[in-house]
Each structure stands twice: as C-alpha cells, then as structure tokens.
C-alpha cells in the first residue's frame, strides 16, 4: 500500500491535516516528536537541525499495510527516504498566511518570536525551493479548507506512484 509524505514549512497545515486524516480512521503520523526525529549538528553546519532517526523511520515505512500511510515532516535528511514514498506532497501558503498561522496557533510554540519568524522567512527562501524540486504534488493550503486538503490526499493515495525508485539528489 502507498506511503505518502506531507512536507512543507511550519504553518502550512501539516499537523492539522494529519489530525483530520487520523480522525477519518486513516494511519497518519507527524514526525515532529523525539521518538521519530532529533536535533543534530550536521557536517559543515554550526547549529543543530532536526533530522529523522533513520533506523526508526525506515522501519516505520517498511511495515506492510493494507491502506495508505501518511507521514508528515520537514527535516534535512528526508530526501534519503523519497524512494520509500509513492508521493511527496509539498504544502505551501503565502508568507503572510504562514506567519499569521504560527503566531496564532495553540498546538505548537514555534514561530511566536521575532527570531523564529525570521528563521521561517529564511527557510521559505532557502528550503522550500529544495522541497519543491523533490515533490510531485504541491497544495496551496491557504486556498482550501483543511478538510478539502485531506480529501485531496485521500484521492492522491489512489493515483499511480511517482517517487517509487526515484532517489533524491
């Protein structure tokens, strides 16, 4: 059965949609928990960044399933896992929408400070283009309700695979 990655910047709606998919009885997981990811200083970097715990995520994606599995996250090593996904979906939204969402959300403290908002702006400029290159579907979450986005993902799970056998550069 299909594995679908949902990725994108903070504030694009990944966690909200994961919760909606779970409420529908689908298997969906957010990897922003310490069980699945950790902060490490990567070679050539000076600041720690979040990466997936590779052994755990490989194991999670290798589990045989009879229904689609939706995984969300945005980490620097996610490209290593693209061959294990049938689709990579990039959530996007206009910058003002993202900044307003992170300022007002109650389920995640990240993005409330001016420094964190500057960091988000930097990620939109530097990381989002990399994510776009690896994605086969892009959804502007500002244009749709979270329910409509979840509907699109369920429909996508029925489409032919894009990423199977493709490696990230």
């Amino acid at each position: 059965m299909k594995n679908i990655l949902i990725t994108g910047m903070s504030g694009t709606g990944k966690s909200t949609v994961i919760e909606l998919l779970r409420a529908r009885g689908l298997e969906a997981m957010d990897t922003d928990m310490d069980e699945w990811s950790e902060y490490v200083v990567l070679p050539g970097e000076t600041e720690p960044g979040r990466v997936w715990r590779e052994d755990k995520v490989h194991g999670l994606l290798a589990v045989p399933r009879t229904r689609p599995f939706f995984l969300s996250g945005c980490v620097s090593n996610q490209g290593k896992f693209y061959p294990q996904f049938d689709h990579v979906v990039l959530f996007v939204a206009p910058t003002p929408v993202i900044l307003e969402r992170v300022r007002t959300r109650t389920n995640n403290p990240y993005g409330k400070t001016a420094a964190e908002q500057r960091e988000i702006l930097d990620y939109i400029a530097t990381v989002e283009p990399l994510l776009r290159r690896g994605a086969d579907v892009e959804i502007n979450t500002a244009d749709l309700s979270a329910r409509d986005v979840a509907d699109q993902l369920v429909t996508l799970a029925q489409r032919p695979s894009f990423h199977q056998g493709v490696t990230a550069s």
Side-chain angles (χ1 to χ4, degrees):
M1 192 40 68
K2 294 198 174 158
N3 291 325
I4 297 173
L5 174 62
I6 302 164
T7 192
M9 298 294 93
S10 247
T12 57
K14 298 181 303 291
S15 297
T16 299
V17 170
I18 287 291
E19 288 302 318
L20 281 174
L21 292 168
R22 273 195 273 226
R24 293 179 181 193
L26 296 167
E27 190 175 3
M29 181 177 298
D30 188 338
T31 60
D32 279 348
M33 298 173 292
D34 290 341
E35 179 181 0
W36 303 108
S37 60
E38 61 187 332
Y39 283 96
V40 299
V41 178
L42 298 171
E45 299 289 327
T46 57
E47 297 294 321
R50 189 174 276 278
V51 298
W52 279 337
R53 296 176 186 271
E54 293 187 15
D55 58 335
K56 295 193 77 103
V57 174
H58 276 300
L60 179 66
L61 293 172
V63 170
R65 293 181 169 83
T66 58
R67 297 175 18 172
F69 175 57
F70 300 91
L71 188 73
S72 75
C74 186
V75 293
S76 61
N77 65 339
Q78 71 187 40
K80 292 180 180 182
F81 295 85
Y82 283 2
Q84 290 180 266
F85 288 102
D86 297 283
H87 295 286
V88 175
V89 181
L90 174 62
F91 282 11
V92 298
T95 300
V97 171
I98 288 173
L99 294 177
E100 180 62 21
R101 285 178 178 173
V102 297
R103 271 195 298 265
T104 59
R105 66 184 172 187
T106 58
N107 63 339
N108 184 336
Y110 178 72
K112 307 254 185 259
T113 69
E116 290 170 341
Q117 289 179 12
R118 283 191 303 274
E119 186 175 59
I120 290 168
L121 292 172
D122 181 57
Y123 290 153
I124 290 169
T126 60
V127 175
E128 189 174 76
L130 301 174
L131 297 175
R132 186 169 279 116
R133 285 200 313 247
D136 62 300
V137 175
E138 185 171 315
I139 299 174
N140 186 330
T141 61
D143 295 339
L144 302 165
S145 70
R147 180 175 294 151
D148 289 339
V149 173
D151 289 345
Q152 282 193 16
L153 291 171
V154 170
T155 299
L156 178 66
Q158 300 166 16
R159 287 189 9 205
S161 299
F162 175 79
H163 273 280
Q164 209 162 38
V166 174
T167 56
S169 53

